[in-house]
């Protein structure tokens, strides 16, 4: 997937030799191949990854036309303008893949500005042409023309390129298994079920096509103080590529962004560590290795420490999926500015890293501009990104200040950029809305050591508190253990970039432990972007020191795969039996203790640790007879520890085949049919009225049941129009107030009167004062008054749904 840097050291026994060869090797002039065949071979990994994704999309019912249009949008509307701007900002070229990966992320930023201009001026009809604003200057200005065909790219090995392509293939295949093949683009039966948040997210994208800034589509005119840049990206896919929004949401956007996340992670890991093979390792750690647990099925209610990084959240939390490439790129440019700065261990491991990273040219002063772009885009992509980044910078600045007794001005400059973006988001975009988050130390986990009857001794309570914290570290942080040998070797005399990564890795879970609320788990996931880079860095060093021959590397790969499969099969078949055994072992046979949910994972970790201890002794003994085993047992142990969370991905695939995700609610095709009719027969400024405010898990089998959840979003989602009052549960003002009552009861009464007690005066007020054009009736919720037919014109009726036009 790109070409390979011949100056970069390879892993294994040939590391030193490859490094010496790289020092004398000249970079490839102009990136020119030695013939067409060589060029095709060079790009074959990228072509294969794209072909696999296209085939999976086709198998999931995506039309060839939609795939082609989205490919055009991605190349023309994102990759081309972004790559040109990135090349103009970075000092010297490194690899083609790096230019394209960072360029794609820059393109995501540029389209935000393009959207603001286009929608602000009402120029959506010419959205396809917006990249000309970048292309024309790069064609016309002599100093910019050179960025079309940069020279001196370095080439990556075929093995590395195929490895990065393999990470993309893993994400694509996983998403096909759990999402693409399980969810229709549009509901096609009356019993179709969909994850509850997806219609809400779709409604925001529809709103972004017509409003700048966005408004809350379930309450017409209500401001939306929320991280809404994700939905601008979706809207631009529609406006530039002319692709239906549900197709973008349910088929195209998620696997494309996941692929970009894999590639940018690999590129950033290579740039910061100087070790190419840290790239694929980091990409696998951020996606293919999940949380460590010993539960199956692990559906939403059994999540012990908030949202996981992959299962469900990779496709249901679209803002997380969109924000990951932006955050990783931000980490990359800040880390590049900090690498090689004062604070490293002279003559020790730090100097070795300096020699390695010297082969990776610095981005130069353009890193500050890139940091500003990525920080501003991250600010309203996911609200958890910038606080964790800022904490990482503060930590790095403090540690460098202590170590050198000098103010680290580079850290200060980057900190000012990130802080400015955070202030902008907090004050301008979020308007200081908290969305219900509040500082409550250990509020998310203290339930596991709760002792309301105070029946435990102080020692017992202390053990349970400690075990809870250990369970938290095992669950979310086990994939970070690769950083331990990194610190051990350097004796914590770290470079500023390493302090920065460590600070972010600590800040994420620390924020989760300090701030109460489910959404605070996104801080943990933000910290993951920092931690996997350090973990991959340490793992690459351990791998290099082990200097495995080819057979040893193959044996390690096969052994790791066997370990993951055996552990996954064991959990699949015996998770319940293991839980009973573990609970009985700790005296909680009835499973009623506060810490019950944590016991299976803690017991599994203890069992694996015991096996590792015995295996270590046997390895040491065998090493006295077989010299090839010596000094390599640590690599095997570290590999197993990092892979211990990988079964969760396999089990998630199997779970998706056996049961729906908790939180999937009915979304009948007839409801969507009515909403889509409105979309085709209305103007963007038209407002709708509906009698559906709640979702029903039984599809309104009992129409008299009280409306308790206010989670109806389908009408605004599939009509792409604002509704006077639909479902208000996710409105910023109610999330912050933790209230379930709609804030304007007279307006709600007027809305409902249009269906159940219509008069000429009621309908006239709705039309004249609130721009209402259509009344959309869901008869399963409640049939309309017969008077409505005499006061408004019925324009649609499919039995379940009726639409009336106000004239």
């Amino acid at each position: 997937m790109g070409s390979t840097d011949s100056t970069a050291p390879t892993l294994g026994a040939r590391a030193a030799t490859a490094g010496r060869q790289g020092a004398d090797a000249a970079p490839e002039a102009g990136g020119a191949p030695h013939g067409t065949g060589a060029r095709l071979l060079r790009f074959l990994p990228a072509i294969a990854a794209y072909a696999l994704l296209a085939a999976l999309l086709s198998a999931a019912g995506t039309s060839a036309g939609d795939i082609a249009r989205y490919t055009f949008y991605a190349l023309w509307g994102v990759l081309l303008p972004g790559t040109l701007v990135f090349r103009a900002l970075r000092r010297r070229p490194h690899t083609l893949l790096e230019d394209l990966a960072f360029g794609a992320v820059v393109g995501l930023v540029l389209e935000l500005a393009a959207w603001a201009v286009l929608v602000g001026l009402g120029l959506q009809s010419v959205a396809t042409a917006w990249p000309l604003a970048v292309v024309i200057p790069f064609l016309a200005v002599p100093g910019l023309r050179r960025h079309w065909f940069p020279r001196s790219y370095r080439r990556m090995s075929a093995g590395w390129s195929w490895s990065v392509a393999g990470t993309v293939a893993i994400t694509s295949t996983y998403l096909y298994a759990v999402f693409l093949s399980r969810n229709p683009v549009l509901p096609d039966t009356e019993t179709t079920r969909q994850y509850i948040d997806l219609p809400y997210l779709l409604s925001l994208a529809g709103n972004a096509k017509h409003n700048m800034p966005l408004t809350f589509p379930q309450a017409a005119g209500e401001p939306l103080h929320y991280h809404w840049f994700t939905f601008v990206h979706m809207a631009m896919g529609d406006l530039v590529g002319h692709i239906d929004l549900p197709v973008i949401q349910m088929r195209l956007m998620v696997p494309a962004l996941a692929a970009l996340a894999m590639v940018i992670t690999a590129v950033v890991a290579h740039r910061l560590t100087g070790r190419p093979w840290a790239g694929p390792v980091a990409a696998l750690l951020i996606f293919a290795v999940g949380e460590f647990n010993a539960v199956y099925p692990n559906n939403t209610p059994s999540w012990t420490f908030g949202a996981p990084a992959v299962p469900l959240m990779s496709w249901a939390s679209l803002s997380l999926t969109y924000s990951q490439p932006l955050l990783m790129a931000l980490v990359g440019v800040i880390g590049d500015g900090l690498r090689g700065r004062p604070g490293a261990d002279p003559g020790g491991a730090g100097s070795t890293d300096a020699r390695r990273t010297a082969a990776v040219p610095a981005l130069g002063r353009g890193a500050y501009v890139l940091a500003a772009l990525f920080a501003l885009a991250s600010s309203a992509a996911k609200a958890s990104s910038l606080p964790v980044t800022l904490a990482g910078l503060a930590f790095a600045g403090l540690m460098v200040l202590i170590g050198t007794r000098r103010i680290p001005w580079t850290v200060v400059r980057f900190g000012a950029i990130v802080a400015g973006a955070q202030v902008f988001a907090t004050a301008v975009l979020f308007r200081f809305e908290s969305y219900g988050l509040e500082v409550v130390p250990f509020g998310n986990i203290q339930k596991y050591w709760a002792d309301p009857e105070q029946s435990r001794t102080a020692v017992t309570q202390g053990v349970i508190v400690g075990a809870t914290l250990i369970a938290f570290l095992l669950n979310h942080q086990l994939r970070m253990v690769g950083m331990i040998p990194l610190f051990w070797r350097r004796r914590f005399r770290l470079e500023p970039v390493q302090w920065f990564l460590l600070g972010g890795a600590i800040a994420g879970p620390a924020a989760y432990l300090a701030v109460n609320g489910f959404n605070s788990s996104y801080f943990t996931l933000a910290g993951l972007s920092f931690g996997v880079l350090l973990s991959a860095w340490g793992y690459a060093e351990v791998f290099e020191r082990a200097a495995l021959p080819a057979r040893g590397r193959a044996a390690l790969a096969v052994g790791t795969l066997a370990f993951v499969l055996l552990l996954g099969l064991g959990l699949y078949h015996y998770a319940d039996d293991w839980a009973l055994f573990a609970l009985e072992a700790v005296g909680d046979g009835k499973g009623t203790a506060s810490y019950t949910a944590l016991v299976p994972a803690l017991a599994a970790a203890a069992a694996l640790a015991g096996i590792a201890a015995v295996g270590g002794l046997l390895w040491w003994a065998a090493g006295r007879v077989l010299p090839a085993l010596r000094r390599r047992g640590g690599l095997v142990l570290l590999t197993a520890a990092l892979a211990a969370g990988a079964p969760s991905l396999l089990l998630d695939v199997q779970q998706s085949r056996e049961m729906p995700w908790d939180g999937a609610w009915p979304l009948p095709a007839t409801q969507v049919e009515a909403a889509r009719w409105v979309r085709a027969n209305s103007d963007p400024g038209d407002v709708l009225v509906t009698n559906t405010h709640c979702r029903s898990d039984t599809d309104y089998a009992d129409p008299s049941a009280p409306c308790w959840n206010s989670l109806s979003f389908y009408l605004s989602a599939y009509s792409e129009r604002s509704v006077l009052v639909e479902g208000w549960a996710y409105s910023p003002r109610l999330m912050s107030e933790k209230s379930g009552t709609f804030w304007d009861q007279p307006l709600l009464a007027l809305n409902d009167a249009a269906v159940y007690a219509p008069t000429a005066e009621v309908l006239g007020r709705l039309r004249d004062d609130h721009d209402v054009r259509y009344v959309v009736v869901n008869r399963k919720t409640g049939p309309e008054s017969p008077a409505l037919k005499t006061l408004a014109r019925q324009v649609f009726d499919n039995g379940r749904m009726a639409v009336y036009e106000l004239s």
Side-chain angles (χ1 to χ4, degrees), residues 12-371:
R14 297 172 294 175
T17 303
R20 289 192 296 271
Q21 291 173 346
D24 299 328
E28 180 189 35
H34 304 292
T36 304
R39 178 179 298 174
L40 290 176
L41 287 175
R42 197 178 147 199
F43 291 101
L44 188 57
I47 294 171
Y50 173 82
L52 174 63
L53 177 54
L56 293 172
L57 288 170
S58 179
T62 314
S63 71
D66 283 333
I67 296 173
R69 280 188 289 271
Y70 193 79
T71 301
F72 164 77
Y73 155 71
L75 294 176
W76 168 251
V78 178
L79 188 62
L80 177 61
T83 300
L84 291 173
V85 171
F86 175 73
R87 286 172 174 169
L89 291 173
R90 57 108 168 99
R91 180 181 294 164
R92 287 165 45 205
H94 180 216
T95 68
L96 174 61
L97 183 61
E98 179 176 88
D99 272 10
L100 297 178
F102 272 107
V105 183
V106 172
L108 294 179
V109 182
L110 296 179
E111 75 172 0
L112 294 173
W115 166 85
V117 173
L118 292 168
V119 177
L121 297 178
L123 298 176
Q124 294 95 320
S125 60
V126 297
T128 303
W130 88 260
L132 292 175
V134 175
V135 169
I136 290 175
F138 275 82
L139 288 173
V141 179
L144 296 177
R145 288 179 194 155
R146 61 188 176 89
H147 297 301
W148 285 94
F149 301 103
R151 304 178 66 82
S152 302
Y153 276 134
R154 302 185 180 198
R155 296 176 56 178
M156 302 298 296
S157 70
W160 189 89
S161 298
W162 279 107
S163 296
V164 176
T167 67
V168 174
I170 289 174
T171 65
S172 301
T173 304
Y174 167 81
L175 289 169
Y176 172 79
V178 302
F179 176 53
L180 302 177
S181 64
R182 302 290 167 193
N183 295 274
V185 172
L186 294 172
D188 49 10
T189 71
E190 291 301 279
T191 58
T192 299
R193 300 178 74 89
Q194 189 180 89
Y195 188 70
I196 194 167
D197 284 1
L198 290 178
Y200 173 67
L201 304 179
L202 184 64
S203 74
L204 300 184
N207 191 270
K209 289 172 60 177
H210 311 294
N211 294 283
M212 197 289 293
L214 273 66
T215 60
F216 184 66
Q218 288 79 36
E222 178 76 4
L224 183 72
H225 305 141
Y226 184 63
H227 46 238
W228 42 261
F229 284 0
T230 307
F231 314 105
V232 170
H233 170 65
M234 295 172 65
M236 287 296 283
D238 181 309
L239 297 174
V240 175
H242 303 287
I243 311 164
D244 201 6
L245 275 178
V247 177
I248 293 175
Q249 181 190 55
M250 304 300 291
R251 289 294 180 268
L252 302 168
M253 168 187 168
V254 173
L257 288 175
L260 176 58
M262 296 300 95
V263 175
I264 192 66
T265 298
V267 164
V268 167
H270 179 192
R271 168 164 286 277
L272 298 189
T273 69
R275 292 168 169 82
W277 285 98
V281 173
L284 290 173
L285 289 176
I286 204 170
F287 191 95
V289 178
E291 282 66 36
F292 177 80
N293 63 70
V295 176
Y296 183 84
N298 188 29
N299 220 320
T300 312
S302 61
W303 292 347
T304 49
F305 297 107
V310 179
L312 181 64
M313 307 319 296
S314 63
W315 54 265
S317 180
L318 300 183
S319 55
L320 175 65
T321 306
Y322 173 76
S323 69
Q324 283 182 323
L326 290 166
L327 176 57
M328 188 59 74
L330 177 62
V331 172
V333 297
I334 293 176
D336 180 79
L338 299 181
R339 67 187 178 99
R341 301 290 176 178
D345 176 19
S351 60
T352 302
D353 286 330
R355 290 193 297 271
R356 288 181 175 276
T357 55
V360 181
L363 293 171
R365 292 187 178 277
Y368 292 108
V369 179
L370 290 168

Side-chain angles (χ1 to χ4, degrees), residues 106 255 262 272 279 299 364 372 382 390 426 556 579 595 672 703 710 712 744:
V106 172
M262 296 300 95
L272 298 189
N299 220 320
K382 197 69 177 174
L390 199 56
T426 302
L556 181 64
Y595 51 80
V672 173
S710 307
S712 178
D744 190 340

